[in-house]
Amino acid sequence: MPWTLIDQDGIDLEVKKNFKEAVKNFESLGYKIKDIKLPNCLALYYIINFAEVSTNLARFDGVRYGMHRDGKNLLEDYLLSRGRGFGKESRRRILLGTYVLSAGYYDAYYGKAQKARVALRKEFKELFSEIDLILTPTSPIPAWKLAKKAIRFLCI
């Protein structure tokens, strides 16, 4: 497991506690636990993820796909439709992905990230020749109570 990714600020203490208990359970079952290093994994994830989110969601512009609102003319259609149906996080990822893929920054960010992805793939291949599983929490925060979120969504 990559402790460097887990043992840092931004991950809830309850998540860390539960994760450490899960690791102890694996150890009690006879599994060997090994700390691994994935130094560039998170940075690569953000660059590649944002770029791919941007390109994949670009088609949901309200013209052919996505939410559409009719305006008085084409420009007003765009202004009323573009971005509808996306939350703040989705819009943030689309904007950052567009930035990463823009002409002046493509090679600086996405091009280098693609090359680093190949190196990371090789690193994972080597790791999985020594280990069977990479264990990490699935979320940096605890899951919310379903009823609490359901009520919030019903009130919107």
Side-chain angles (χ1 to χ4, degrees):
M1 88 199 71
W3 279 112
T4 54
L5 291 177
I6 299 156
D7 199 20
Q8 59 181 316
D9 292 340
I11 298 181
D12 189 271
L13 293 176
E14 185 180 347
V15 171
K16 288 181 186 181
K17 180 181 157 258
N18 289 338
F19 181 73
K20 288 176 183 178
E21 286 178 23
V23 169
K24 285 180 185 176
N25 286 340
F26 275 104
E27 285 177 320
S28 71
L29 292 169
Y31 291 93
K32 293 180 190 173
I33 305 299
K34 179 180 179 178
D35 186 22
I36 60 172
K37 304 279 187 242
L38 297 170
N40 300 314
C41 163
L42 202 54
L44 288 174
Y45 162 77
Y46 279 111
I47 292 170
I48 293 169
N49 176 269
F50 288 175
E52 291 186 1
V53 163
S54 176
T55 57
N56 287 321
L57 295 180
R59 69 177 150 252
F60 295 100
D61 60 1
V63 177
R64 290 189 71 187
Y65 302 104
M67 296 179 76
H68 177 77
R69 296 269 163 77
D70 286 324
K72 296 174 195 158
N73 54 41
L74 184 59
L75 177 61
E76 194 170 303
D77 281 2
Y78 278 129
L79 294 173
L80 292 173
S81 301
R82 191 86 174 154
R84 295 271 180 193
F86 293 116
K88 286 181 183 179
E89 181 62 20
S90 298
R91 287 193 303 262
R92 185 175 74 86
R93 288 177 184 242
I94 291 168
L95 288 171
L96 287 170
T98 302
Y99 174 79
V100 163
L101 292 171
S102 64
Y105 299 100
Y106 182 89
D107 287 332
Y109 294 109
Y110 190 69
K112 286 182 182 174
Q114 288 291 46
K115 291 175 186 170
R117 183 195 306 215
V118 173
L120 190 62
R121 187 180 301 129
K122 182 182 175 193
E123 188 177 326
F124 271 107
K125 192 172 185 175
E126 289 172 12
L127 272 172
F128 281 114
S129 70
E130 302 171 20
I131 62 174
D132 296 318
L133 174 75
I134 296 177
L135 188 63
T136 65
T138 56
S139 172
I141 59 172
W144 60 80
K145 301 286 184 221
L146 182 60
K148 186 176 179 182
K149 288 290 182 177
I151 290 171
R152 180 172 166 241
F153 288 125
L154 291 173
C155 294
I156 294 178

